[in-house]
Amino acid sequence: MASLPPTLNFSEAEEEICKKWKEDDTFRLQNKLSKERGDKEFTFYDGPPFATGLPHYGHILAGTIKDTVTRYASMTGKHVDRRAGWDCHGLPVEYEIDQKLGITHRDQVLAMGIDKYNETCRGIVTRYT
């Protein structure tokens, strides 16, 4: 293993690594190879990044943890198909819609229709993306 130079510019090294990964299409290649090997699938659902507000420290922390978990799974021989989904717990979204529409009881949601209520909730989820 090569030793590290006495001084290392970490941001420059990161840019070089990211450039190489992009040139080699590393993530897509890793997925292709893991499928060919028949690696056990690792499923990790991710939601929209900013469903109920502008980005803040909590989003950065959660994103870092999610990235670490999926990278670890990949490095330990799992097939990881990385794609964002809709695994977004609804309470903050539902609370916002309830406030907007003046909903205070479950019966009001049922009277509105669950399908219409859900569609209204979905309508605000992508507002900050």
Side-chain angles (χ1 to χ4, degrees), residues 5 10 34 45 49 58 82 89 91 98 111-112:
F10 286 100
S34 68
Y45 295 107
R82 292 175 176 86
H89 71 84
L91 289 178
D98 289 352
M112 176 184 189

Side-chain angles (χ1 to χ4, degrees), residues 15-31:
E15 287 177 19
E16 289 173 16
I17 291 167
C18 288
K19 181 181 174 193
K20 176 151 179 54
W21 285 355
K22 188 173 185 174
E23 288 170 357
D24 294 346
D25 203 9
T26 300
F27 284 108
R28 205 174 315 263
L29 178 60
Q30 177 268 326
N31 259 3

Side-chain angles (χ1 to χ4, degrees), residues 94-129:
E94 291 169 6
Y95 177 77
E96 188 171 332
I97 293 301
D98 289 352
Q99 296 296 305
K100 180 180 174 184
L101 300 179
I103 293 174
T104 58
H105 194 270
R106 178 178 181 268
D107 291 339
Q108 293 170 285
V109 173
L110 296 174
M112 176 184 189
I114 292 176
D115 56 341
K116 186 175 180 197
Y117 182 80
N118 285 345
E119 189 58 37
T120 305
C121 290
R122 278 188 209 98
I124 71 164
V125 169
T126 57
R127 179 179 49 199
Y128 297 104
T129 58

Side-chain angles (χ1 to χ4, degrees), residues 41-47 62-63 65-71 73 79-85 87:
E41 190 160 334
F42 179 82
T43 303
F44 188 92
Y45 295 107
D46 192 6
I65 292 168
K66 291 173 184 179
D67 186 54
T68 302
V69 168
T70 54
R71 285 178 191 256
H79 172 72
V80 181
D81 190 16
R82 292 175 176 86
R83 57 190 154 123
D87 183 33

